[in-house]
Amino acid sequence: MCGIVGYTGYRQSYPILMDGLRKLEYRGYDSAGISLFADKPSVFKCSGKIRDLEDHIGTADVTGTTGMGHTRWATHGEPNDINAHPHTSQDGHFVIIHNGIIENYDILKNKLEKRGCLFRSETDTEVLANLIEYIYLKGKVPAEVAVRLALTKVVGTYGLVVMCSSEPGQLIAARCSSPLVIGIGEGEYFIASDASPIAGYTKSVIYLNDNDVAIIKSNELILKTVKADEPKMKLQSINIDTNDYDKGGFEHYMLKEIFEQPRSITDTFRGRLVPDQSDIKLGGLHGVIDRLQEARRIIVVACGTSWHAALIGEYLLEDLARIPVEVEYASEFRYRNPVLGPYDIVIAISQSGETADTLAAVRMAREAGAMVLGICNVTGSGLSRETDAGVYTHAGIEIGVASTKAFTAQVTVLTMIALLLGRNRGHIDEDQYRSLIGEMHSIPSGITRILEQSPAIRDIAKQFSNAGSMLYIGRGYCFPVALEGALKLKEISYIHAEGYPAAEMKHGPIALIDENMPVVVVGVKDKYYGKIVSNVQEIKARKGIVIAVVNEGDEQISSIADHILEVPESNIIFSALLSVIPLQLFAYHIAVERGCDVDQPRNLAKSVTVE
């Protein structure tokens, strides 16, 4: 979840590290620090933001051509100056930064304390630093050997970078279930927890696999495993548009990314949705499409916003392709004993492709013999490497922690898969298939029309900035949209919100309805429309306040609701792509009105790489 950046080469490392940390801010963090190696390692760290770290460093000497930086999201120990990374071992031989969780840290710590080791922080990371130093001093071995031996005693996850005070110009990096990428330059190397901080310096990278250990100097890269095997290096190219780090005149990245959705959806179906040929071509599924369309059951695993996209995918695949679908929280699926076999297809969805629970679910599914497909936004990610096939979304870098354009890109991919399977399995005729392809092409322009309502949505949102709680309800395809709308509100505004199937309102939530309870109703025209009208009337009969998402020209709900947010009318299978947009804007404007940190909401991280 935290951010890692490292550099060794011929340049001064400080500007590179600070630039990298700023580009990693989107991952979420509560403290930051750097270590620079000149004559010896120096450490600067503090709680707070990158700007607080810069103030803390002030006019201190920041020279050195080797260094590493870290943004921490607290797991063990509160977010304060002492617990911030980097951590230095007791006698100062090692400095370490670490993402992940050392699960047996308490056992290791007790053993080290009995051997006279003292600890300054509450972190599991300091335990690892002292374990490495203990092995280094006792065994009189090189630093990389001490790191590898220490990691054989560790239970848990890690993406870490280590510097040794007696081996200048060297960084040692290791990975186990926490992503690390190494960028390769001319006489220099870069390390990061994802490719975004190094994209401006190199296009050639190596993604570390689990149990890889990299020994990196300015003129040399040696790759080993924890057990000293020598795996092959797989060089890959990255193509990241560094303009994505510019807010483009918007106040926040989140608002920029909401407004980018016409483009990101178009980019996701570009070259895949072929209206001239009335066809859909998904190259990433080319070798598995026969098995996919013969599936007896599809299980979709995901977390958070991706789970909501998966729910929409369930409706799409069952409606259009008539394949039974189950949607599972990856965090629950991985710890159950699910019935899985070679006739099952598992689809894993993750924006980053590095979500720890989702990757664990993928591994379990593959061990059970199921074919696993991935949908993610990041090339070279763990998900793309561990699945049998898949489809990339092309949303571009999403910096706002609350996902917006990644969600609609995922739904776009799921819609294309469902349409293709529906046609291939004979549940959609050619005329309907061509018609739906044509309508899908018009979705971006429909979203553009919704975005033009942002000022009006802001005016409505201001009236609810002091709400204590909200309900979101919907039916059919609009139920997952209600869940997603509620999640967006709670993520960035800290207002409690709950999404519910509208039909379940009388089974509990209606007890909450009074003049102080705003209810967001997703009520576009579909076969449930009459029932949603009844739900609105029930809310109003109890003096509830209704904010309704309706189709343009709607009369029934609009005549009853207190406020309306309009979306173009469409085939119901595209309703989620349209109706989620005003809810994103609604949440955004409420959060801004409340003075919240929209792009970096408290306690949240963009990529959840630990349990």
Side-chain angles (χ1 to χ4, degrees):
M1 294 173 74
C2 323
I4 280 177
V5 62
Y7 174 80
T8 185
Y10 58 87
R11 312 188 210 196
Q12 288 297 306
S13 60
Y14 177 74
I16 296 170
L17 299 179
M18 297 306 292
D19 177 58
L21 291 181
R22 290 187 197 96
K23 289 177 179 175
L24 289 169
E25 283 191 290
Y26 75 97
R27 294 174 71 95
Y29 69 107
D30 42 53
S31 61
I34 62 169
S35 180
L36 304 166
F37 202 127
D39 298 328
K40 60 180 182 179
S42 58
V43 173
F44 306 93
K45 60 180 184 174
C46 66
S47 61
K49 300 296 187 181
I50 302 300
R51 59 181 176 270
D52 299 310
L53 176 62
E54 291 177 304
D55 291 342
H56 173 67
I57 293 171
T59 59
D61 182 8
V62 290
T63 57
T65 57
T66 299
M68 57 191 187
H70 188 267
T71 52
R72 176 180 186 250
W73 188 90
T75 53
H76 295 72
E78 65 181 79
N80 59 27
D81 294 354
I82 294 174
N83 291 329
H85 294 214
H87 285 282
T88 304
S89 58
Q90 177 174 292
D91 294 331
H93 292 283
F94 289 90
V95 182
I96 182 173
I97 55 178
H98 164 231
N99 291 351
I101 295 176
I102 307 303
E103 296 175 9
N104 63 334
Y105 81 99
D106 52 342
I107 297 171
L108 297 172
K109 184 175 183 179
N110 289 336
K111 289 181 179 179
L112 289 167
E113 286 177 328
K114 289 176 181 178
R115 293 164 182 166
C117 189
L118 300 175
F119 291 86
R120 307 178 185 92
S121 77
E122 304 168 86
T123 68
D124 53 340
T125 302
E126 189 186 6
V127 175
L128 184 53
N130 283 325
L131 177 61
I132 293 169
E133 183 176 79
Y134 176 80
I135 294 171
Y136 175 77
L137 295 175
K138 184 175 177 63
K140 298 181 181 179
V141 295
E144 62 99 351
V145 175
V147 171
R148 288 193 293 102
L149 291 175
L151 294 178
T152 64
K153 303 179 184 301
V154 162
V155 177
T157 61
Y158 53 80
L160 59 90
V161 184
V162 180
M163 290 196 303
C164 178
S165 61
S166 59
E167 299 182 22
Q170 175 181 269
L171 299 172
I172 300 167
R175 170 201 163 124
C176 180
S177 299
S178 187
L180 279 181
V181 57
I182 299 173
I184 300 172
E186 293 289 335
E188 58 183 352
Y189 289 92
F190 307 83
I191 305 172
S193 42
D194 65 53
S196 56
I198 61 181
Y201 301 98
T202 180
K203 299 297 182 185
S204 298
V205 300
I206 294 171
Y207 289 92
L208 295 187
N209 293 313
D210 282 354
N211 301 312
D212 280 353
V213 178
I215 302 95
I216 307 161
K217 300 179 182 179
S218 62
N219 59 354
E220 184 180 33
L221 169 62
I222 299 171
L223 194 61
K224 296 183 179 181
T225 68
V226 169
K227 295 182 178 180
D229 297 326
E230 296 185 6
K232 291 183 179 179
M233 295 186 193
K234 186 178 179 181
L235 199 63
Q236 298 188 47
S237 297
I238 55 173
N239 184 22
I240 294 176
D241 186 353
T242 54
N243 290 327
D244 285 340
Y245 295 100
D246 187 331
K247 290 181 183 175
F250 289 92
E251 186 178 356
H252 297 95
Y253 284 112
M254 182 181 177
L255 186 60
K256 176 193 176 194
E257 288 155 6
I258 290 172
F259 272 78
E260 284 177 339
Q261 286 174 109
R263 188 189 74 188
S264 58
I265 290 172
T266 300
D267 288 346
T268 296
F269 65 57
R270 190 189 308 279
R272 295 164 167 173
L273 208 63
V274 191
D276 292 345
Q277 301 175 24
S278 298
D279 206 359
I280 294 171
K281 298 183 183 297
L282 299 174
L285 301 181
H286 178 72
V288 299
I289 194 66
D290 290 342
R291 186 172 171 188
L292 180 57
Q293 63 197 34
E294 294 168 3
R296 298 180 182 178
R297 178 177 65 152
I298 294 175
I299 300 166
V300 191
V301 295
C303 300
T305 284
S306 296
W307 188 79
H308 297 157
L311 285 178
I312 296 167
E314 177 183 18
Y315 288 23
L316 288 163
L317 288 163
E318 291 191 343
D319 267 1
L320 301 176
R322 307 304 298 153
I323 300 173
V325 178
E326 299 172 16
V327 175
E328 298 270 4
Y329 282 111
S331 54
E332 290 294 316
F333 183 77
R334 63 178 291 196
Y335 286 116
R336 288 190 8 243
N337 186 22
V339 179
L340 275 174
Y343 295 105
D344 293 319
I345 305 292
V346 173
I347 299 177
I349 307 177
S350 168
Q351 187 279 141
S352 66
E354 299 292 354
T355 307
D357 288 320
T358 304
L359 289 175
V362 164
R363 293 168 191 137
M364 185 177 75
R366 295 194 71 182
E367 288 173 4
M371 185 174 78
V372 184
L373 310 179
I375 297 175
C376 76
N377 192 41
V378 181
T379 57
S381 63
L383 186 63
S384 67
R385 299 199 305 275
E386 297 202 33
T387 48
D388 297 296
V391 181
Y392 284 115
T393 58
H394 293 302
I397 293 173
E398 189 177 64
I399 295 174
V401 167
S403 183
T404 52
K405 65 178 182 175
F407 170 77
T408 50
Q410 290 167 352
V411 174
T412 299
V413 167
L414 289 164
T415 305
M416 289 190 290
I417 292 173
L419 284 168
L420 181 61
L421 292 179
R423 193 276 307 269
N424 290 358
R425 287 169 59 88
H427 298 293
I428 302 175
D429 63 36
E430 287 297 328
D431 288 342
Q432 186 182 12
Y433 184 64
R434 286 194 294 270
S435 174
L436 290 171
I437 287 175
E439 186 170 352
M440 193 171 185
H441 259 281
S442 70
I443 295 301
S445 62
I447 291 175
T448 299
R449 281 160 53 190
I450 299 169
L451 294 172
E452 292 169 356
Q453 301 174 49
S454 183
I457 295 173
R458 180 187 60 217
D459 292 340
I460 296 171
K462 286 180 178 180
Q463 300 177 50
F464 298 97
S465 61
N466 293 319
S469 186
M470 290 195 198
L471 281 176
Y472 285 65
I473 62 171
R475 290 176 181 250
Y477 284 92
C478 296
F479 163 52
V481 174
L483 293 175
E484 176 61 15
L487 177 61
K488 286 290 130 333
L489 186 71
K490 71 182 77 170
E491 281 180 318
I492 62 173
S493 75
Y494 318 139
I495 294 174
H496 171 259
E498 187 174 2
Y500 239 85
E504 291 293 303
M505 194 171 68
K506 287 190 283 292
H507 293 273
I510 200 167
L512 299 171
I513 303 298
D514 61 18
E515 64 274 15
N516 298 313
M517 175 60 75
V519 183
V520 177
V521 179
V522 188
V524 300
K525 289 187 178 177
D526 58 14
K527 63 183 179 180
Y528 307 109
Y529 181 76
K531 297 185 182 299
I532 282 285
V533 172
S534 296
N535 291 133
V536 174
Q537 290 170 330
E538 290 164 352
I539 296 165
K540 294 304 298 177
R542 289 156 181 84
K543 300 182 180 180
I545 304 165
V546 174
I547 305 107
V549 178
V550 297
N551 289 130
E552 295 168 344
D554 176 272
E555 295 181 358
Q556 280 187 277
I557 293 178
S558 297
S559 67
I560 312 169
D562 298 276
H563 306 279
I564 62 169
L565 312 175
E566 291 188 320
V567 300
E569 193 165 347
S570 70
N571 187 291
I572 190 59
I573 72 167
F574 304 120
S575 60
L577 287 170
L578 295 169
S579 57
V580 76
I581 306 299
L583 300 186
Q584 294 172 348
L585 288 167
F586 184 66
Y588 169 80
H589 288 304
I590 286 179
V592 171
E593 186 68 17
R594 288 167 65 87
C596 299
D597 189 342
V598 173
D599 287 331
Q600 297 173 34
R602 68 189 183 200
N603 301 332
L604 295 180
K606 184 67 177 174
S607 181
V608 184
T609 58
V610 298
E611 290 189 63

